[in-house]
Amino acid sequence: MNRAALHKISYGLYIVTSGQDGKFNGQIANSMFQVTSDPATVAISINKQNYTSELIKLSRKFVVSILSEETPMTFIGLFGFKSGREVNKLQNVKAKTGATKVPIVLENAVSYIEVEVEKELDCGTHTIFIGNIVDCDVLSDAVPMTYAYYQKVKGGRSPKTAPTYSKEEPATAPQAASNYVCSVCGYVYDPVKGDPDNGIAPGTKFEDLPDSWTCPVCGADKSKFEKEK
Ligand code: FE
């Protein structure tokens, strides 16, 4: 079995929020799709360990915000590599509430979908939640981010709890100056691309990054990085 075949599946990049009674959380998800058109339903696959999973099971509601290509890695890192059990991820994020009363993340989102859960399917490590769309709207004309764009252009990787996580996730092509990999979250610093979101120009070698530079995804410092083999 060549698991690289699975890396060819197309996905998007979304923030799924859920909760009730003042307890809310959001997380990055890449596995979401429309199931039927009439009635309009969608499905998401969420790891059982994630706080969001707990909140969906309790509230039976969730909101999906579809992220744009311009979404900064720090924003993805906040929702993808930190746990809502430890930080209030929604604290400083632009959001509103609608039909489901679940926070709708507006920042970096091109559209959103509000869902009431109808069914769930136990899939071992993950649960697939299927629900009716109770409201949805478009927020901007920006291009939605695909998972391929996140991996290739932004240097992003899957956290261990993602349905698509693989120990053999391919690294970006080796360059003359070495790539460095974050040992915490798997983010790859590619000197050709630099880290423009954080003021690091393309062409900056890892060795030349300021000591104050931290992983744009999880916030780990330079010492947590290893040269890519
Ligand atoms: Fe990191």
Side-chain angles (χ1 to χ4, degrees):
M1 187 164 85
N2 180 5
R3 289 179 69 105
L6 307 178
H7 299 148
K8 307 290 184 195
I9 302 173
S10 294
Y11 296 94
L13 211 66
Y14 316 106
I15 289 179
V16 174
T17 47
S18 186
Q20 61 182 17
D21 305 328
K23 273 173 69 180
F24 298 103
N25 189 44
Q27 67 156 81
I28 293 284
N30 63 3
S31 305
M32 195 268 296
F33 65 98
Q34 186 172 350
V35 182
T36 55
S37 163
D38 190 16
T41 60
V42 292
I44 51 167
S45 176
I46 301 286
N47 192 296
K48 287 179 185 172
Q49 292 171 22
N50 292 358
Y51 185 39
T52 307
S53 170
E54 220 175 274
L55 295 175
I56 297 173
K57 279 178 183 279
L58 272 173
S59 68
R60 315 305 295 169
K61 296 175 292 190
F62 64 87
V63 174
V64 179
S65 293
I66 300 173
L67 295 177
S68 84
E69 273 188 357
E70 282 94 61
T71 306
M73 287 300 277
T74 43
F75 192 78
I76 297 169
L78 169 66
F79 283 97
F81 290 92
K82 302 217 191 303
S83 171
R85 292 189 180 90
E86 282 136 37
V87 288
N88 180 356
K89 301 187 203 177
L90 295 162
Q91 202 166 26
N92 298 313
V93 170
K94 202 176 148 211
K96 67 170 185 178
T97 50
T100 58
K101 304 281 184 273
V102 170
I104 301 163
V105 172
L106 303 173
E107 224 169 305
N108 301 304
V110 297
S111 68
Y112 68 84
I113 303 165
E114 292 195 83
V115 183
E116 279 175 2
V117 174
E118 282 291 313
K119 293 179 190 136
E120 60 178 87
L121 187 61
D122 187 326
C123 299
T125 54
H126 290 68
T127 308
I128 293 178
F129 295 100
I130 302 166
N132 288 318
I133 298 174
V134 293
D135 198 13
C136 54
D137 204 1
V138 173
L139 299 166
S140 103
D141 292 332
V143 180
M145 173 121 62
T146 62
Y147 197 66
Y149 183 91
Y150 167 66
Q151 287 184 303
K152 283 209 180 105
V153 182
K154 309 284 267 186
R157 294 292 176 267
S158 296
K160 289 191 173 67
T161 51
T164 50
Y165 173 74
S166 159
K167 283 182 192 133
E168 313 106 70
E169 268 212 36
T172 49
Q175 308 293 337
S178 299
N179 289 348
Y180 276 73
V181 185
C182 175
S183 62
V184 178
C185 75
Y187 166 83
V188 178
Y189 177 79
D190 178 345
V192 173
K193 292 171 193 157
D195 178 15
D197 285 348
N198 295 296
I200 304 296
T204 307
K205 284 185 191 163
F206 181 82
E207 293 80 353
D208 297 335
L209 291 171
D211 289 340
S212 58
W213 182 84
T214 55
C215 175
V217 176
C218 74
D221 60 42
K222 275 182 81 178
S223 68
K224 299 287 191 313
F225 279 72
E226 290 155 9
K227 202 175 199 167
E228 188 173 69
K229 282 159 206 121

